[in-house]
DNA sequence: GGCTGATATATCAGATATGATATATCTACG
DNA sequence: CGTAGATATATCATATCTGATATATCAGCC
């Protein structure tokens, strides 16, 4: 079970987990979906930090530094689309992305 | 190298691969991104057909039958978001989704 | 042929994610 | 301290994706 601290951390990023009952309304699939996004987000941050600045990565994918920051911080407004585009731009292979997702759950 | 037939197949779904030069403007990462979407699309169709109708799946994820049809046919207007939500709704695990993505490339 | 259920295609108004911009915060170094 | 580079936060107009709806096509069966 997810603890209070984690719920608050997610809620602060815009995820709809404010109250306990709200949280319980998340279906198992929705929960997995969020976890996949968070896993990609973490992976992006790790890979990017070794290679370049947020500004450099942003220009590679015609995005902006603020959006990369949100992507790396698990902001709910960032789509999986952008997360995957960004991870690919760090040189990740489909195999690596697959492993990150498989590591969820 | 992708052949003419495949280019035409993609273009017909809305992908920007109309002319050869347009096609060549796709970066390697963009190409991988499209392939990931197509792999998820195929996987969705296979899994869903064994379990339920498009209409049933649509209601599970508060979508519509036409949108599921587009998702299964690799239409460019369908996001990875929707593809993953749909695959999860067929009961796929993160492990299975990871494998599908890892299988690209 | 006609009927029925499933899937595909077309259109569209509304919702959501987007990049841009401005600015704030942080960190390291002089 | 002050300056510089990197990252975080806020706001916003626009582009893209969305579900809904209507309708077309297809397959199997009578």
């Amino acid at each position: 079970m997810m603890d209070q601290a984690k719920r608050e951390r997610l809620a602060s990023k815009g995820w709809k987990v404010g109250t306990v009952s709200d949280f319980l309304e998340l279906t198992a699939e929705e929960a997995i979906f969020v976890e996949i996004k968070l896993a990609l987000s973490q992976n992006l941050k790790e890979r990017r930090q070794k290679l370049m600045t947020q500004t450099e990565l942003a220009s590679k994918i015609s995005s902006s530094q603020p959006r990369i920051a949100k992507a790396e911080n698990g902001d709910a407004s960032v789509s999986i689309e952008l997360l995957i585009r960004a991870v690919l731009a760090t040189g990740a292979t489909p195999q690596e992305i697959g492993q990150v997702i498989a590591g969820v759950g």
Side-chain angles (χ1 to χ4, degrees), chain A:
Chain A
M1 183 55 183
M2 194 178 292
D3 63 18
Q4 177 70 10
K6 182 164 187 184
R7 271 202 298 283
E8 285 174 356
R9 193 148 33 82
L10 291 180
S12 74
K13 304 293 184 182
W15 298 100
K16 291 178 183 169
V17 293
T19 68
V20 173
S21 63
D22 279 351
F23 174 70
L24 292 176
E25 283 170 11
L26 279 182
T27 67
E29 286 98 22
E30 287 169 336
I32 292 173
F33 187 77
V34 170
E35 285 173 30
I36 288 175
K37 287 179 75 167
L38 293 178
L40 288 169
S41 172
Q42 269 191 249
N43 185 251
L44 170 62
K45 189 169 209 160
E46 287 165 9
R47 293 186 57 88
R48 194 271 311 163
Q49 282 179 336
K50 293 178 187 163
L51 301 166
M52 63 192 106
T53 65
Q54 290 181 345
T55 302
E56 286 167 342
L57 176 56
S59 93
K60 277 194 172 226
I61 60 174
S62 302
S63 182
S64 61
Q65 177 271 321
R67 198 124 269 274
I68 301 297
K70 282 179 188 290
E72 290 185 355
N73 282 296
D75 190 288
S77 81
V78 175
S79 69
I80 284 197
E81 311 274 320
L82 186 61
L83 287 169
I84 291 182
R85 277 184 210 283
V87 174
L88 285 172
T90 67
T93 61
Q95 287 75 24
E96 290 167 325
I97 295 174
Q99 278 198 339
V100 170
I101 293 176
V104 171

